[in-house]
Amino acid sequence: FTLRQNYPNPFNPSTTIRYGLPIRSHVSLTVYNTLGQGVATLMNGEQDPGYHEVRFDGSTLPSGVYFYRLQSRSYAETKKLLLIR
């Protein structure tokens, strides 16, 4: 499992998040604010092995620091992203 840093970062209004899966897995990719509240679910389901990318559009959110978290049964990782208007 790999979770890459989003690009571009900082971003306005959208960014790309890339991740890799070694086996078919149920994955959840969620964006959270600094209070730990989920603000966007970018993926929640089964995916085949390989590299994947998702675009995150933050145009409805205020500027600030956010976190994105990739979770599967045996893996979890969180990274920070910055939305600047």
Side-chain angles (χ1 to χ4, degrees), residues 16-19 47 51-55:
T16 300
I17 299 170
R18 294 183 175 99
Y19 58 94
Q47 282 198 301
Y51 291 97
H52 304 274
E53 71 176 41
V54 177
R55 298 275 303 160

Side-chain angles (χ1 to χ4, degrees), residues 1-78:
F1 292 90
T2 59
L3 179 62
R4 307 291 298 265
Q5 185 64 51
N6 65 301
Y7 182 81
N9 191 31
F11 70 98
N12 178 23
S14 66
T15 187
T16 300
I17 299 170
R18 294 183 175 99
Y19 58 94
L21 307 174
I23 58 172
R24 183 170 174 81
S25 306
H26 182 278
V27 295
S28 171
L29 180 60
T30 308
V31 178
Y32 297 92
N33 63 19
T34 55
L35 299 175
Q37 300 164 322
V39 296
T41 299
L42 305 179
M43 169 48 107
N44 188 14
E46 291 285 323
Q47 282 198 301
D48 290 328
Y51 291 97
H52 304 274
E53 71 176 41
V54 177
R55 298 275 303 160
F56 170 56
D57 182 357
S59 59
T60 62
L61 299 172
S63 296
V65 174
Y66 294 87
F67 299 91
Y68 59 101
R69 181 171 180 84
L70 180 68
Q71 275 187 279
S72 75
R73 187 179 310 186
S74 61
Y75 174 84
E77 187 172 354
T78 303

